[in-house]
Amino acid sequence: MFYCLLQPLMVDTLPDPFGEEIKGIAADSGVALGEVVLFNIFYEVFTVCTSVVAEDDKGNLFHGRNLDFGLFMGWDVKNKSWIISEKLKPLVINLDFKRNNQTVFKSTNFAGYVGMLTGIKPHIFTLTMNERFSLDGGYIGILEWILGKRDGMWMSFLTRTVLEKANSYEEAKTLLAQTRCWLRPTLSWEETAQARVASSPGPDCSVLISSRLT
């Protein structure tokens, strides 16, 4: 199967610490390494998530999102959602990333997924990542990675890196805007792949937009 090819072709080429973490998850869970790799790159190809940032009349910001994981890969008639989304619901967890026993950031994520799609840097900023399909989308970037073109950053790895390293809203915005993330698929109708950053405190918000090649 395809995921069996991902083990020798990809896992040893992934940047630190993500490749080693994926290996550790596979070893401890008993799940085949190729399946864990596929799980961790799946978002680069199949998704259509949405984020909302709203401000109330008192100047408070509210930042929310959904996770439309597995678009067009089967519809669950009973639950009125994508089949893969239903399969992933039991894996949803709330994470508290700590360093020296101090919280660095928090995230709602999937168990076994080493990147970040959503994150909160307490009292500093919140961040969500969304993407859209394109014929020249993420799967092209994956093929380029396998063939040795690795001069860009994986989307979810970038999001986690920003959550780990950025210590201000402006620093997070700069890191997201200036890092080439060539695996991002482009949006086929309105915008391109987007990362939303909302600051805290203060009524400040940014929608950062990029395609796979910019």
Side-chain angles (χ1 to χ4, degrees), residues 135-189:
L135 293 177
D136 184 26
Y139 65 94
I140 298 295
I142 291 173
L143 290 174
E144 289 179 343
W145 185 278
I146 291 172
L147 294 174
K149 184 179 179 181
R150 299 167 188 154
D151 58 347
M153 186 70 164
W154 297 76
M155 285 197 312
S156 62
F157 296 172
L158 172 60
T159 303
R160 176 174 153 184
T161 300
V162 170
L163 286 164
E164 288 184 8
K165 295 183 177 182
N167 293 311
S168 69
Y169 169 74
E170 288 299 329
E171 187 177 356
K173 187 167 66 172
T174 298
L175 283 171
L176 289 168
Q178 294 184 356
T179 303
R180 185 167 183 257
C181 201
W182 53 266
L183 284 165
R184 289 178 176 171
T186 54
L187 176 59
S188 58
W189 53 96

Short mmCIF file of all heavy atoms in Angstrom, two decimals, residues 135-189:
data_model
loop_
_atom_site.label_atom_id
_atom_site.label_comp_id
_atom_site.label_asym_id
_atom_site.label_seq_id
_atom_site.Cartn_x
_atom_site.Cartn_y
_atom_site.Cartn_z
N LEU A 135 -5.31 22.21 -7.89
CA LEU A 135 -4.66 21.20 -8.73
C LEU A 135 -3.16 21.20 -8.51
O LEU A 135 -2.49 20.18 -8.62
CB LEU A 135 -4.99 21.46 -10.21
CG LEU A 135 -6.45 21.25 -10.62
CD1 LEU A 135 -6.64 21.61 -12.09
CD2 LEU A 135 -6.89 19.81 -10.37
N ASP A 136 -2.62 22.38 -8.21
CA ASP A 136 -1.19 22.50 -7.91
C ASP A 136 -1.03 22.61 -6.39
O ASP A 136 -0.50 23.56 -5.87
CB ASP A 136 -0.61 23.74 -8.60
CG ASP A 136 0.89 23.86 -8.38
OD1 ASP A 136 1.54 22.81 -8.17
OD2 ASP A 136 1.40 24.98 -8.40
N GLY A 137 -1.53 21.58 -5.70
CA GLY A 137 -1.63 21.66 -4.25
C GLY A 137 -0.58 20.89 -3.50
O GLY A 137 0.51 20.60 -3.98
N GLY A 138 -0.94 20.54 -2.24
CA GLY A 138 0.00 19.93 -1.33
C GLY A 138 0.59 18.63 -1.79
O GLY A 138 1.73 18.30 -1.47
N TYR A 139 -0.18 17.84 -2.55
CA TYR A 139 0.35 16.55 -3.01
C TYR A 139 1.55 16.75 -3.93
O TYR A 139 2.45 15.90 -3.98
CB TYR A 139 -0.74 15.74 -3.69
CG TYR A 139 -1.26 16.34 -4.98
CD1 TYR A 139 -0.73 15.95 -6.21
CD2 TYR A 139 -2.28 17.28 -4.97
CE1 TYR A 139 -1.20 16.51 -7.38
CE2 TYR A 139 -2.75 17.84 -6.13
CZ TYR A 139 -2.20 17.45 -7.34
OH TYR A 139 -2.66 18.02 -8.50
N ILE A 140 1.58 17.87 -4.66
CA ILE A 140 2.73 18.17 -5.50
C ILE A 140 3.95 18.41 -4.62
O ILE A 140 5.06 17.94 -4.91
CB ILE A 140 2.47 19.39 -6.40
CG1 ILE A 140 1.31 19.12 -7.35
CG2 ILE A 140 3.73 19.75 -7.18
CD1 ILE A 140 1.57 18.02 -8.36
N GLY A 141 3.74 19.15 -3.54
CA GLY A 141 4.84 19.40 -2.61
C GLY A 141 5.37 18.13 -2.00
O GLY A 141 6.58 17.97 -1.79
N ILE A 142 4.48 17.18 -1.69
CA ILE A 142 4.91 15.90 -1.11
C ILE A 142 5.76 15.13 -2.11
O ILE A 142 6.81 14.57 -1.76
CB ILE A 142 3.68 15.07 -0.69
CG1 ILE A 142 3.00 15.75 0.52
CG2 ILE A 142 4.09 13.64 -0.33
CD1 ILE A 142 1.69 15.12 0.91
N LEU A 143 5.34 15.11 -3.37
CA LEU A 143 6.13 14.43 -4.40
C LEU A 143 7.49 15.10 -4.56
O LEU A 143 8.52 14.41 -4.70
CB LEU A 143 5.37 14.43 -5.73
CG LEU A 143 4.12 13.54 -5.80
CD1 LEU A 143 3.40 13.75 -7.12
CD2 LEU A 143 4.50 12.07 -5.63
N GLU A 144 7.52 16.43 -4.53
CA GLU A 144 8.80 17.14 -4.63
C GLU A 144 9.70 16.81 -3.45
O GLU A 144 10.92 16.65 -3.61
CB GLU A 144 8.54 18.65 -4.70
CG GLU A 144 7.93 19.10 -6.02
CD GLU A 144 7.66 20.59 -6.04
OE1 GLU A 144 7.65 21.23 -4.97
OE2 GLU A 144 7.46 21.13 -7.15
N TRP A 145 9.10 16.69 -2.27
CA TRP A 145 9.89 16.34 -1.08
C TRP A 145 10.52 14.96 -1.25
O TRP A 145 11.70 14.77 -0.98
CB TRP A 145 9.00 16.37 0.15
CG TRP A 145 9.73 16.13 1.43
CD1 TRP A 145 10.10 14.93 1.98
CD2 TRP A 145 10.22 17.13 2.33
NE1 TRP A 145 10.75 15.11 3.16
CE2 TRP A 145 10.85 16.45 3.40
CE3 TRP A 145 10.16 18.53 2.35
CZ2 TRP A 145 11.43 17.13 4.47
CZ3 TRP A 145 10.74 19.20 3.41
CH2 TRP A 145 11.37 18.50 4.45
N ILE A 146 9.73 13.99 -1.72
CA ILE A 146 10.24 12.64 -1.93
C ILE A 146 11.39 12.64 -2.94
O ILE A 146 12.38 11.91 -2.79
CB ILE A 146 9.10 11.71 -2.41
CG1 ILE A 146 8.10 11.48 -1.26
CG2 ILE A 146 9.65 10.36 -2.89
CD1 ILE A 146 6.86 10.74 -1.67
N LEU A 147 11.27 13.51 -3.97
CA LEU A 147 12.28 13.57 -5.03
C LEU A 147 13.49 14.43 -4.64
O LEU A 147 14.42 14.57 -5.43
CB LEU A 147 11.65 14.10 -6.32
CG LEU A 147 10.58 13.18 -6.94
CD1 LEU A 147 9.91 13.86 -8.13
CD2 LEU A 147 11.19 11.85 -7.36
N GLY A 148 13.47 15.00 -3.44
CA GLY A 148 14.65 15.71 -2.95
C GLY A 148 14.58 17.22 -2.88
O GLY A 148 15.53 17.86 -2.44
N LYS A 149 13.46 17.82 -3.32
CA LYS A 149 13.33 19.27 -3.24
C LYS A 149 12.72 19.60 -1.88
O LYS A 149 11.52 19.45 -1.66
CB LYS A 149 12.43 19.81 -4.35
CG LYS A 149 12.34 21.32 -4.36
CD LYS A 149 11.46 21.82 -5.51
CE LYS A 149 11.35 23.35 -5.50
NZ LYS A 149 10.49 23.84 -6.58
N ARG A 150 13.55 20.08 -0.95
CA ARG A 150 13.12 20.23 0.44
C ARG A 150 13.48 21.62 0.99
O ARG A 150 14.03 21.75 2.07
CB ARG A 150 13.73 19.13 1.30
CG ARG A 150 13.30 17.73 0.85
CD ARG A 150 14.11 16.64 1.47
NE ARG A 150 13.77 15.35 0.86
CZ ARG A 150 14.58 14.31 0.79
NH1 ARG A 150 15.81 14.40 1.30
NH2 ARG A 150 14.19 13.20 0.22
N ASP A 151 13.18 22.64 0.21
CA ASP A 151 13.55 23.99 0.62
C ASP A 151 12.39 24.77 1.24
O ASP A 151 12.46 25.98 1.41
CB ASP A 151 14.11 24.78 -0.57
CG ASP A 151 13.12 24.85 -1.72
OD1 ASP A 151 12.12 24.11 -1.70
OD2 ASP A 151 13.34 25.65 -2.65
N GLY A 152 11.32 24.05 1.57
CA GLY A 152 10.17 24.69 2.21
C GLY A 152 9.85 24.03 3.53
O GLY A 152 10.51 23.08 3.95
N MET A 153 8.83 24.53 4.21
CA MET A 153 8.45 24.05 5.53
C MET A 153 7.07 23.42 5.47
O MET A 153 6.18 23.93 4.80
CB MET A 153 8.44 25.22 6.52
CG MET A 153 8.20 24.84 7.95
SD MET A 153 9.60 23.95 8.67
CE MET A 153 9.21 24.08 10.42
N TRP A 154 6.91 22.32 6.18
CA TRP A 154 5.58 21.70 6.29
C TRP A 154 4.67 22.62 7.10
O TRP A 154 5.07 23.21 8.10
CB TRP A 154 5.69 20.34 6.97
CG TRP A 154 6.50 19.34 6.21
CD1 TRP A 154 7.85 19.28 6.10
CD2 TRP A 154 5.99 18.25 5.44
NE1 TRP A 154 8.23 18.22 5.32
CE2 TRP A 154 7.10 17.56 4.90
CE3 TRP A 154 4.70 17.77 5.17
CZ2 TRP A 154 6.97 16.43 4.09
CZ3 TRP A 154 4.58 16.65 4.37
CH2 TRP A 154 5.70 15.99 3.83
N MET A 155 3.40 22.72 6.69
CA MET A 155 2.49 23.66 7.32
C MET A 155 2.36 23.47 8.82
O MET A 155 2.55 24.38 9.61
CB MET A 155 1.10 23.54 6.69
CG MET A 155 0.98 24.13 5.33
SD MET A 155 -0.74 24.39 4.88
CE MET A 155 -1.46 22.81 5.30
N SER A 156 2.00 22.25 9.22
CA SER A 156 1.72 22.02 10.64
C SER A 156 3.00 22.07 11.48
O SER A 156 2.96 22.42 12.66
CB SER A 156 1.02 20.68 10.84
OG SER A 156 1.84 19.61 10.39
N PHE A 157 4.14 21.76 10.86
CA PHE A 157 5.41 21.87 11.57
C PHE A 157 5.75 23.35 11.80
O PHE A 157 6.27 23.72 12.86
CB PHE A 157 6.54 21.21 10.78
CG PHE A 157 6.39 19.72 10.61
CD1 PHE A 157 7.25 19.02 9.77
CD2 PHE A 157 5.41 19.00 11.27
CE1 PHE A 157 7.14 17.65 9.60
CE2 PHE A 157 5.29 17.62 11.12
CZ PHE A 157 6.16 16.95 10.27
N LEU A 158 5.44 24.19 10.81
CA LEU A 158 5.67 25.62 10.96
C LEU A 158 4.81 26.19 12.07
O LEU A 158 5.28 26.98 12.90
CB LEU A 158 5.38 26.34 9.64
CG LEU A 158 5.40 27.87 9.70
CD1 LEU A 158 6.76 28.39 10.13
CD2 LEU A 158 4.99 28.46 8.35
N THR A 159 3.54 25.80 12.09
CA THR A 159 2.64 26.30 13.12
C THR A 159 3.15 25.95 14.52
O THR A 159 3.16 26.78 15.43
CB THR A 159 1.24 25.71 12.93
OG1 THR A 159 0.77 26.03 11.62
CG2 THR A 159 0.26 26.29 13.95
N ARG A 160 3.60 24.70 14.69
CA ARG A 160 4.14 24.31 15.99
C ARG A 160 5.41 25.08 16.32
O ARG A 160 5.60 25.51 17.47
CB ARG A 160 4.41 22.81 16.00
CG ARG A 160 5.07 22.35 17.29
CD ARG A 160 5.21 20.88 17.39
NE ARG A 160 6.34 20.50 18.23
CZ ARG A 160 6.74 19.25 18.42
NH1 ARG A 160 6.11 18.25 17.84
NH2 ARG A 160 7.78 19.00 19.20
N THR A 161 6.26 25.28 15.34
CA THR A 161 7.50 26.03 15.56
C THR A 161 7.21 27.45 16.02
O THR A 161 7.86 27.97 16.93
CB THR A 161 8.36 26.04 14.28
OG1 THR A 161 8.68 24.69 13.91
CG2 THR A 161 9.65 26.83 14.49
N VAL A 162 6.22 28.08 15.40
CA VAL A 162 5.84 29.44 15.78
C VAL A 162 5.31 29.45 17.21
O VAL A 162 5.65 30.33 18.02
CB VAL A 162 4.79 30.00 14.81
CG1 VAL A 162 4.20 31.31 15.33
CG2 VAL A 162 5.41 30.22 13.43
N LEU A 163 4.47 28.49 17.55
CA LEU A 163 3.92 28.42 18.90
C LEU A 163 5.02 28.19 19.94
O LEU A 163 4.95 28.69 21.07
CB LEU A 163 2.88 27.30 18.99
CG LEU A 163 1.54 27.59 18.31
CD1 LEU A 163 0.74 26.30 18.12
CD2 LEU A 163 0.73 28.60 19.11
N GLU A 164 6.05 27.46 19.56
CA GLU A 164 7.15 27.20 20.49
C GLU A 164 8.07 28.41 20.65
O GLU A 164 8.52 28.71 21.76
CB GLU A 164 7.99 26.01 20.01
CG GLU A 164 7.31 24.66 20.16
CD GLU A 164 8.22 23.50 19.77
OE1 GLU A 164 9.42 23.75 19.52
OE2 GLU A 164 7.74 22.37 19.70
N LYS A 165 8.34 29.12 19.55
CA LYS A 165 9.41 30.11 19.56
C LYS A 165 8.96 31.56 19.65
O LYS A 165 9.68 32.41 20.19
CB LYS A 165 10.28 29.93 18.31
CG LYS A 165 11.03 28.60 18.28
CD LYS A 165 11.93 28.51 17.06
CE LYS A 165 12.73 27.20 17.07
NZ LYS A 165 13.65 27.12 15.91
N ALA A 166 7.80 31.88 19.10
CA ALA A 166 7.36 33.28 19.09
C ALA A 166 6.92 33.72 20.48
O ALA A 166 6.15 33.02 21.14
CB ALA A 166 6.22 33.46 18.10
N ASN A 167 7.39 34.87 20.90
CA ASN A 167 7.07 35.38 22.23
C ASN A 167 6.20 36.63 22.18
O ASN A 167 5.98 37.28 23.21
CB ASN A 167 8.36 35.68 23.00
CG ASN A 167 9.13 34.40 23.31
OD1 ASN A 167 8.56 33.44 23.82
ND2 ASN A 167 10.42 34.40 22.99
N SER A 168 5.71 36.96 20.98
CA SER A 168 4.81 38.10 20.84
C SER A 168 3.95 37.89 19.60
O SER A 168 4.27 37.06 18.73
CB SER A 168 5.59 39.41 20.70
OG SER A 168 6.27 39.46 19.45
N TYR A 169 2.87 38.64 19.53
CA TYR A 169 1.99 38.61 18.37
C TYR A 169 2.76 39.00 17.10
O TYR A 169 2.66 38.33 16.06
CB TYR A 169 0.83 39.55 18.62
CG TYR A 169 -0.04 39.84 17.42
CD1 TYR A 169 -0.92 38.89 16.91
CD2 TYR A 169 0.01 41.09 16.79
CE1 TYR A 169 -1.73 39.17 15.83
CE2 TYR A 169 -0.80 41.37 15.71
CZ TYR A 169 -1.66 40.41 15.23
OH TYR A 169 -2.45 40.69 14.15
N GLU A 170 3.53 40.06 17.16
CA GLU A 170 4.26 40.53 15.99
C GLU A 170 5.30 39.50 15.55
O GLU A 170 5.52 39.30 14.35
CB GLU A 170 4.93 41.87 16.29
CG GLU A 170 3.96 43.04 16.39
CD GLU A 170 3.20 43.28 15.10
OE1 GLU A 170 3.76 43.00 14.01
OE2 GLU A 170 2.05 43.74 15.17
N GLU A 171 5.97 38.86 16.50
CA GLU A 171 6.96 37.86 16.15
C GLU A 171 6.31 36.65 15.48
O GLU A 171 6.83 36.12 14.50
CB GLU A 171 7.71 37.41 17.41
CG GLU A 171 8.90 36.48 17.12
CD GLU A 171 9.67 36.12 18.36
OE1 GLU A 171 9.34 36.64 19.46
OE2 GLU A 171 10.61 35.31 18.25
N ALA A 172 5.14 36.25 15.98
CA ALA A 172 4.42 35.13 15.35
C ALA A 172 4.01 35.48 13.93
O ALA A 172 4.18 34.68 13.00
CB ALA A 172 3.18 34.79 16.19
N LYS A 173 3.51 36.69 13.74
CA LYS A 173 3.08 37.13 12.41
C LYS A 173 4.25 37.17 11.44
O LYS A 173 4.13 36.74 10.28
CB LYS A 173 2.41 38.50 12.51
CG LYS A 173 1.78 38.97 11.22
CD LYS A 173 0.87 40.16 11.45
CE LYS A 173 1.61 41.40 11.90
NZ LYS A 173 0.74 42.59 11.94
N THR A 174 5.40 37.64 11.91
CA THR A 174 6.58 37.71 11.06
C THR A 174 7.07 36.32 10.65
O THR A 174 7.39 36.08 9.48
CB THR A 174 7.71 38.47 11.78
OG1 THR A 174 7.28 39.81 12.04
CG2 THR A 174 8.97 38.51 10.92
N LEU A 175 7.13 35.41 11.61
CA LEU A 175 7.57 34.05 11.30
C LEU A 175 6.66 33.37 10.28
O LEU A 175 7.13 32.71 9.35
CB LEU A 175 7.63 33.22 12.59
CG LEU A 175 8.81 33.47 13.53
CD1 LEU A 175 8.60 32.74 14.85
CD2 LEU A 175 10.11 33.00 12.88
N LEU A 176 5.37 33.54 10.45
CA LEU A 176 4.42 32.94 9.52
C LEU A 176 4.50 33.56 8.14
O LEU A 176 4.43 32.88 7.12
CB LEU A 176 3.00 33.07 10.06
CG LEU A 176 2.65 32.20 11.27
CD1 LEU A 176 1.33 32.64 11.88
CD2 LEU A 176 2.59 30.73 10.87
N ALA A 177 4.68 34.87 8.10
CA ALA A 177 4.69 35.58 6.82
C ALA A 177 5.97 35.37 6.03
O ALA A 177 5.95 35.34 4.79
CB ALA A 177 4.47 37.07 7.06
N GLN A 178 7.09 35.18 6.72
CA GLN A 178 8.38 35.14 6.03
C GLN A 178 8.91 33.74 5.77
O GLN A 178 9.91 33.59 5.06
CB GLN A 178 9.41 35.93 6.86
CG GLN A 178 9.11 37.42 6.92
CD GLN A 178 10.18 38.21 7.65
OE1 GLN A 178 11.13 37.64 8.20
NE2 GLN A 178 10.04 39.52 7.67
N THR A 179 8.26 32.72 6.31
CA THR A 179 8.72 31.35 6.09
C THR A 179 8.05 30.75 4.87
O THR A 179 6.82 30.76 4.76
CB THR A 179 8.42 30.46 7.32
OG1 THR A 179 9.04 31.03 8.47
CG2 THR A 179 8.97 29.05 7.11
N ARG A 180 8.84 30.27 3.94
CA ARG A 180 8.31 29.65 2.73
C ARG A 180 7.73 28.29 3.10
O ARG A 180 8.41 27.44 3.64
CB ARG A 180 9.39 29.48 1.67
CG ARG A 180 8.87 28.95 0.34
CD ARG A 180 9.92 29.10 -0.75
NE ARG A 180 9.41 28.68 -2.03
CZ ARG A 180 9.70 27.51 -2.60
NH1 ARG A 180 10.50 26.66 -1.98
NH2 ARG A 180 9.22 27.19 -3.78
N CYS A 181 6.46 28.13 2.79
CA CYS A 181 5.75 26.90 3.16
C CYS A 181 5.18 26.29 1.89
O CYS A 181 3.99 26.35 1.61
CB CYS A 181 4.65 27.22 4.17
SG CYS A 181 4.09 25.83 5.14
N TRP A 182 6.04 25.69 1.08
CA TRP A 182 5.66 25.31 -0.27
C TRP A 182 4.73 24.12 -0.36
O TRP A 182 4.23 23.79 -1.42
CB TRP A 182 6.90 25.04 -1.11
CG TRP A 182 7.86 24.07 -0.51
CD1 TRP A 182 8.95 24.36 0.26
CD2 TRP A 182 7.85 22.64 -0.61
NE1 TRP A 182 9.60 23.21 0.64
CE2 TRP A 182 8.95 22.15 0.12
CE3 TRP A 182 7.01 21.73 -1.24
CZ2 TRP A 182 9.23 20.79 0.23
CZ3 TRP A 182 7.29 20.38 -1.13
CH2 TRP A 182 8.38 19.92 -0.40
N LEU A 183 4.43 23.47 0.75
CA LEU A 183 3.48 22.37 0.71
C LEU A 183 2.04 22.84 0.78
O LEU A 183 1.13 22.06 0.64
CB LEU A 183 3.75 21.40 1.87
CG LEU A 183 4.96 20.49 1.67
CD1 LEU A 183 5.37 19.85 2.98
CD2 LEU A 183 4.68 19.43 0.63
N ARG A 184 1.83 24.14 1.00
CA ARG A 184 0.47 24.61 1.12
C ARG A 184 -0.27 24.53 -0.22
O ARG A 184 0.18 25.06 -1.21
CB ARG A 184 0.44 26.07 1.60
CG ARG A 184 0.86 26.24 3.05
CD ARG A 184 0.86 27.70 3.41
NE ARG A 184 1.17 27.88 4.82
CZ ARG A 184 1.41 29.05 5.39
NH1 ARG A 184 1.39 30.13 4.66
NH2 ARG A 184 1.67 29.13 6.67
N PRO A 185 -1.46 23.92 -0.24
CA PRO A 185 -2.28 23.98 -1.44
C PRO A 185 -2.97 25.33 -1.53
O PRO A 185 -3.19 25.97 -0.51
CB PRO A 185 -3.30 22.87 -1.24
CG PRO A 185 -3.42 22.74 0.23
CD PRO A 185 -2.07 23.11 0.81
N THR A 186 -3.33 25.74 -2.72
CA THR A 186 -4.00 27.03 -2.86
C THR A 186 -5.50 26.84 -2.87
O THR A 186 -6.03 25.81 -3.26
CB THR A 186 -3.57 27.72 -4.16
OG1 THR A 186 -3.78 26.82 -5.25
CG2 THR A 186 -2.12 28.11 -4.10
N LEU A 187 -6.20 27.86 -2.45
CA LEU A 187 -7.66 27.85 -2.43
C LEU A 187 -8.19 28.07 -3.85
O LEU A 187 -7.74 28.94 -4.57
CB LEU A 187 -8.14 28.98 -1.51
CG LEU A 187 -9.64 29.24 -1.41
CD1 LEU A 187 -10.33 27.99 -0.91
CD2 LEU A 187 -9.88 30.39 -0.48
N SER A 188 -9.15 27.27 -4.23
CA SER A 188 -9.58 27.26 -5.63
C SER A 188 -10.64 28.30 -5.95
O SER A 188 -11.00 28.46 -7.10
CB SER A 188 -10.11 25.87 -6.00
OG SER A 188 -11.19 25.52 -5.15
N TRP A 189 -11.14 29.03 -4.92
CA TRP A 189 -12.14 30.01 -5.28
C TRP A 189 -11.90 31.40 -4.72
O TRP A 189 -11.91 32.35 -5.49
CB TRP A 189 -13.56 29.54 -4.90
CG TRP A 189 -13.78 29.11 -3.49
CD1 TRP A 189 -14.27 29.87 -2.47
CD2 TRP A 189 -13.55 27.82 -2.95
NE1 TRP A 189 -14.34 29.13 -1.32
CE2 TRP A 189 -13.92 27.87 -1.58
CE3 TRP A 189 -13.06 26.63 -3.47
CZ2 TRP A 189 -13.82 26.77 -0.74
CZ3 TRP A 189 -12.97 25.53 -2.64
CH2 TRP A 189 -13.34 25.60 -1.30
#
